[in-house]
Amino acid sequence: METVNCLIIGGGPAGYTAAIYASRADLSPVVYEGIQPGGQLTTTTDIENYPGFENGISGQGLMDTMKAQAVRLGADIRTGAITEADLSKRPFKLVIDGEKEVYAQTLIIATGATAKYLGLPSEIKYRGLGVSACATCDGFFYRKKTVAVVGGGDTACEEATYLAGLCKKVYMIVRRDVLRASEAMQERVRNTENIEILWNCNTQEVLGDEYGVTGARLLRKDGEVFDIAVDGFFLAIGHHPNSELFNKWVAVDKEGYIVTDGKTSKTNVEGVFAAGDVQDPLYRQAITAAASGCRAALDAEKFLKMQ
Ligand code: NDP
């Protein structure tokens, strides 16, 4: 039976930063990176707003650097996903990939968030055949083609401008008559000639044939139903927190975000801390996730000292 002082779940900015701080505090942290090592940032393009990188850095590059720093300081970073958790008593029991059991004196949950889909049967049918929630992963396949991006937030604007650099034309399907995105991102969209915004539109169906997506059927608020021809259909309508494995013990809000105590990373379970997007419905930035990972490691250190 393996018992660790500090188990960190998640290989994104929150998890790696927690690992850096926990290593320096001699907590000998073990990190399980989950199914997407590096987290959501590995699916983004250049990051221009992470301090310390004057000319920006790629999402993958930032994550590789953070991970290397954590490893250099002594963190034990492992591949594997948590498939079961029992947080009813300490040490907490976690099952990795349905097989290995690890017991943890303290637990830092930094499992992030996952892209949302619209929930249409046709969207499921063509997932991987033209339907995607990651423009930077799949955009390459649509060079000089026409695609649609659903959503009006910063992610949708970022993905649309990224795709506009590769594709012949990009439609943005926006359900209201305004974008939710920041002014800077809106301006980028406005200044990109091959992006056309379809305002007040909801997708009724993704259209396709045996080779994949061929279009989308849209319903405009005025009642008009019309089809657009597209080769790719990208979702950028937000995320949901990956808290399902823990919400039997750990308090979550109505959207599933883990509730933490004030400015700390403490959950309602003593010895369990949460960091990053799984507990942050508001900011969801790499820098805020990293900062909350730091807080979680410091909180875990303090907790262990008091035992
Ligand atoms: P948001 O929640 O900000 O935006 C989601 C968008 O999708 C909204 O326009 C919303 O419409 C739309 N939407 C939601 N559900 C549906 C649906 N069922 N059908 C159609 N449209 C739908 O999510 P983001 O992922 O864009 O951003 C999350 C956070 O990350 C934000 O805080 C953002 O600022 C940040 N971010 C920052 C970046 C940066 O600084 N470079 C880059 C990317 C994200 P409606 O507006 O009508 O609700």
Side-chain angles (χ1 to χ4, degrees):
M1 177 174 117
E2 182 183 19
T3 303
V4 301
N5 246 342
C6 178
L7 186 72
I8 299 167
I9 313 174
Y16 292 150
T17 306
I20 289 168
Y21 273 77
S23 298
R24 295 196 77 238
D26 281 338
L27 302 188
S28 309
V30 170
V31 181
Y32 279 96
E33 292 183 305
I35 47 174
Q36 190 179 25
Q40 291 178 69
L41 279 189
T42 56
T43 65
T44 195
T45 45
D46 286 348
I47 299 173
E48 293 187 332
N49 52 10
Y50 198 90
F53 299 92
E54 187 184 352
N55 300 312
I57 183 169
S58 70
Q60 185 70 57
L62 181 61
M63 288 303 91
D64 290 348
T65 308
M66 277 192 198
K67 180 175 174 176
Q69 188 178 357
V71 168
R72 183 179 69 78
L73 292 168
D76 178 353
I77 300 187
R78 304 176 181 176
T79 48
I82 308 299
T83 47
E84 270 175 65
D86 180 354
L87 311 186
S88 58
K89 59 177 189 299
R90 285 183 57 235
F92 308 114
K93 179 181 153 187
L94 289 309
V95 179
I96 321 301
D97 295 333
E99 290 173 354
K100 184 180 161 70
E101 287 181 4
V102 176
Y103 290 81
Q105 296 295 354
T106 58
L107 178 67
I108 296 176
I109 303 171
T111 43
T114 302
K116 280 184 191 164
Y117 284 79
L118 294 169
L120 303 169
S122 53
E123 185 189 43
I124 297 168
K125 184 172 170 192
Y126 295 111
R127 204 178 283 188
L129 286 171
V131 172
S132 165
C134 178
T136 48
C137 317
D138 301 325
F140 177 79
F141 301 112
Y142 302 94
R143 286 177 102 84
K144 302 206 174 10
K145 294 187 172 175
T146 298
V147 298
V149 177
V150 186
D154 278 323
T155 305
C157 291
E158 196 175 77
E159 304 230 319
T161 43
Y162 170 74
L163 288 165
L166 292 169
C167 303
K168 190 169 72 187
K169 175 159 185 138
V170 179
Y171 290 107
M172 282 183 77
I173 303 172
V174 178
R175 66 178 174 182
R176 292 188 292 151
D177 59 359
V178 287
L179 295 173
R180 180 184 287 273
S182 58
E183 188 48 45
M185 294 305 286
Q186 293 197 30
E187 200 177 324
R188 259 199 224 180
V189 167
R190 281 197 293 270
N191 291 338
T192 308
E193 265 180 17
N194 57 341
I195 298 179
E196 180 181 340
I197 302 183
L198 301 171
W199 300 104
N200 294 312
C201 285
N202 275 301
T203 308
Q204 281 193 327
E205 199 184 337
V206 181
L207 308 171
D209 57 22
E210 70 265 41
Y211 303 109
V213 169
T214 57
R217 179 155 301 152
L218 308 183
L219 167 64
R220 204 165 33 215
K221 251 190 201 137
D222 61 11
E224 190 189 344
V225 176
F226 62 101
D227 293 350
I228 53 170
V230 295
D231 307 288
F233 185 83
F234 289 87
L235 283 311
I237 58 168
H239 293 82
H240 72 261
N242 298 322
S243 60
E244 287 85 357
L245 276 176
F246 315 102
N247 60 16
K248 187 169 160 196
W249 296 276
V250 169
V252 296
D253 70 11
K254 64 179 190 324
E255 287 180 44
Y257 288 92
I258 294 178
V259 176
T260 50
D261 181 10
K263 288 185 178 169
T264 76
S265 65
K266 293 177 190 168
T267 70
N268 59 311
V269 180
E270 283 207 344
V272 178
F273 307 90
D277 285 9
V278 72
Q279 54 83 57
D280 178 11
L282 207 55
Y283 298 104
R284 295 182 286 189
Q285 301 296 298
I287 187 71
T288 51
S292 71
C294 157
R295 275 205 288 265
L298 296 178
D299 289 339
E301 180 189 9
K302 200 165 166 191
F303 175 83
L304 285 169
K305 273 196 187 136
M306 289 191 324
Q307 299 307 299

